[in-house]
Amino acid sequence: MRKYCEECGREVEPKVITKKETYDVCGEPIEVDAKVLICAECGEEFYCEEFDNATLINAYNEYRRGHKLLLPGEIKKIREQYGLSQRSFAKLLNWGDKTICRYENGSIQDKAHNSLMLFLREPENMRTYLTENEIGLDERQKEKLLNTVEKLEQDTEYQAGRRFFELFFTKIPCKENGYKGFDYEKLCAMVLFFAQKNAELLKTKLMKLLNYSDMIFYKENGISMSGMKYAHLPYGPVPDHFDMILGKMAADHIAHIEVLYDGPYEKHQVIPECDVPKGVLSDAEMDVLNRIYEKFKNYGSVEISDYSHNEKGYKATKTGEIISYAYAMDIELS
């Protein structure tokens, strides 16, 4: 992709650099790492809508983290948990019709709205809200919502899943999980994506593909994709407690590991049991997954493990330590 450089007076081959930029978000200066397209010869900057939009999203997410605000995807997940449209959710909360649509598309919510949505994430709190507040839903909609709440409260699998993840996987955003609470549904979709794209995908390679996907998404968007923590182990970065997650995936009939034998060697192959669920992965997430797949599609487990050993985050940590997402900024995939 060649660009016309006004400084050089001709078409040139641009290159991408990363630099610090400051954005004004709600009256507060937010400094983020920005990808910028420049002339390789004179350094003149080119306009790139894709990079500018990604940097702005990164700045907004940095602001949200600093003020402990829900991210757009988290707001959407709360709404969809109750089977509500954007308009119905806004009516439930007595907000303007377009309010939820704006929040899910990136507008920053005020703290009062954020606190209410955070409160309603728990089904028992939604029941309390429905019984103690005047809401904009009609009786039929209210009854349907109460039935959904009751099913969530009585769903032993839902409650067991919550206890399971609360015990081992934090919902509190931090640098170790890429400022995103662990998202089991998202991780399952990522596993299924790679298992269906890679013939005879082995467990060791999958773990590296997940790591690169989360790290690159964090680098470009300021938040990880799955909320997984990654530990430094001898064969490269590995999702923390990953065997436990694979056990749950097998129990949920999402994917399982099949042990194959090649002479004296064992091969642990990932077998998908269903398709990638629709609507779980965003276009931006799918773009990163596809890029990671294309980069490593011809790598074997040993090759991708060796490749991961050269990353700064791996070199800077010791066996068993969690690799901070801060090191994502040092990853360059040619």
Side-chain angles (χ1 to χ4, degrees):
M1 175 186 66
R2 296 178 69 81
K3 289 271 191 179
Y4 182 80
C5 176
E6 293 185 358
E7 191 69 25
C8 296
R10 66 179 188 277
E11 282 196 345
V12 297
E13 194 67 38
K15 70 175 183 178
V16 179
I17 64 168
T18 301
K19 69 172 190 175
K20 296 288 185 183
E21 286 190 354
T22 301
Y23 281 70
D24 184 289
V25 183
C26 298
E28 182 177 321
I30 302 293
E31 186 181 68
V32 291
D33 289 304
K35 290 172 72 175
V36 181
L37 202 63
I38 67 168
C39 172
E41 297 183 26
C42 72
E44 180 76 7
E45 291 188 11
F46 297 121
Y47 170 71
C48 179
E49 183 178 8
E50 179 186 355
F51 287 173
D52 286 353
N53 288 342
T55 304
L56 184 60
I57 290 171
N58 199 353
Y60 273 39
N61 286 340
E62 192 68 31
Y63 176 88
R64 289 185 179 97
R65 286 196 293 268
H67 292 271
K68 295 182 171 57
L69 298 176
L70 290 163
L71 296 161
E74 294 174 319
I75 294 172
K76 181 180 180 182
K77 192 168 183 178
I78 292 169
R79 172 178 64 80
E80 290 182 339
Q81 174 178 275
Y82 298 110
L84 294 168
S85 66
Q86 292 177 337
R87 189 165 182 270
S88 295
F89 196 28
K91 286 176 68 178
L92 168 72
L93 303 172
N94 296 308
W95 298 347
D97 285 354
K98 301 293 183 183
T99 304
I100 297 298
C101 179
R102 291 201 312 273
Y103 289 164
E104 290 186 9
N105 284 317
S107 294
I108 295 176
Q109 66 272 27
D110 63 45
K111 289 188 176 180
H113 282 186
N114 188 78
S115 295
L116 181 54
M117 289 186 289
L118 196 58
F119 174 76
L120 294 178
R121 183 156 60 183
E122 302 301 326
E124 52 268 35
N125 293 341
M126 176 63 84
R127 177 180 292 281
T128 301
Y129 179 83
L130 288 170
T131 55
E132 295 185 1
N133 291 274
E134 190 174 326
I135 60 176
L137 300 180
D138 60 34
E139 285 302 315
R140 182 185 63 81
Q141 292 173 314
K142 182 177 178 180
E143 183 179 353
K144 183 180 178 181
L145 181 53
L146 279 169
N147 287 335
T148 300
V149 170
E150 186 172 349
K151 287 178 182 177
L152 287 172
E153 289 177 328
Q154 294 179 353
D155 189 340
T156 54
E157 188 175 321
Y158 170 84
Q159 298 297 342
R162 269 182 53 192
R163 288 194 296 272
F164 173 85
F165 290 123
E166 284 171 1
L167 186 61
F168 293 99
F169 305 97
T170 180
K171 280 295 204 178
I172 301 171
C174 61
K175 186 147 282 187
E176 289 188 339
N177 60 22
Y179 293 109
K180 179 184 175 74
F182 177 67
D183 191 330
Y184 175 67
E185 186 180 29
K186 190 84 71 178
L187 182 66
C188 288
M190 294 166 69
V191 169
L192 289 170
F193 172 88
F194 286 122
Q196 291 177 356
K197 293 277 279 188
N198 289 254
E200 300 182 358
L201 175 64
L202 299 185
K203 175 182 166 184
T204 299
K205 181 175 180 179
L206 170 64
M207 292 188 287
K208 308 304 172 287
L209 294 172
L210 294 173
N211 174 254
Y212 275 114
S213 298
D214 265 327
M215 290 288 175
I216 293 299
F217 193 80
Y218 175 86
K219 180 179 180 179
E220 297 176 358
N221 298 276
I223 185 173
S224 68
M225 204 180 299
S226 72
M228 269 310 307
K229 293 181 180 181
Y230 291 89
H232 174 128
L233 290 183
Y235 293 103
V238 174
D240 205 25
H241 300 302
F242 196 55
D243 283 334
M244 191 178 297
I245 295 172
L246 282 173
K248 179 164 173 56
M249 286 186 187
D252 293 340
H253 301 290
I254 293 167
H256 68 274
I257 300 298
E258 212 166 89
V259 180
L260 306 174
Y261 293 93
D262 183 8
Y265 302 104
E266 282 187 8
K267 296 196 298 185
H268 293 241
Q269 186 174 329
V270 184
I271 308 296
E273 296 185 41
C274 57
D275 294 330
V276 179
K278 293 181 179 178
V280 174
L281 297 167
S282 68
D283 290 343
E285 289 166 342
M286 285 295 294
D287 175 65
V288 168
L289 293 175
N290 275 305
R291 278 188 277 144
I292 298 301
Y293 166 73
E294 288 296 329
K295 168 66 181 178
F296 295 109
K297 65 181 179 181
N298 295 321
Y299 281 59
S301 294
V302 174
E303 291 171 299
I304 195 171
S305 292
D306 290 344
Y307 190 97
S308 70
H309 287 180
N310 294 317
E311 301 297 351
K312 186 176 179 180
Y314 188 80
K315 290 180 176 180
T317 50
K318 298 176 182 178
T319 301
E321 291 182 345
I322 298 298
I323 301 171
S324 169
Y325 276 84
Y327 291 112
M329 299 307 167
D330 299 301
I331 298 176
E332 295 291 343
L333 296 179
S334 55

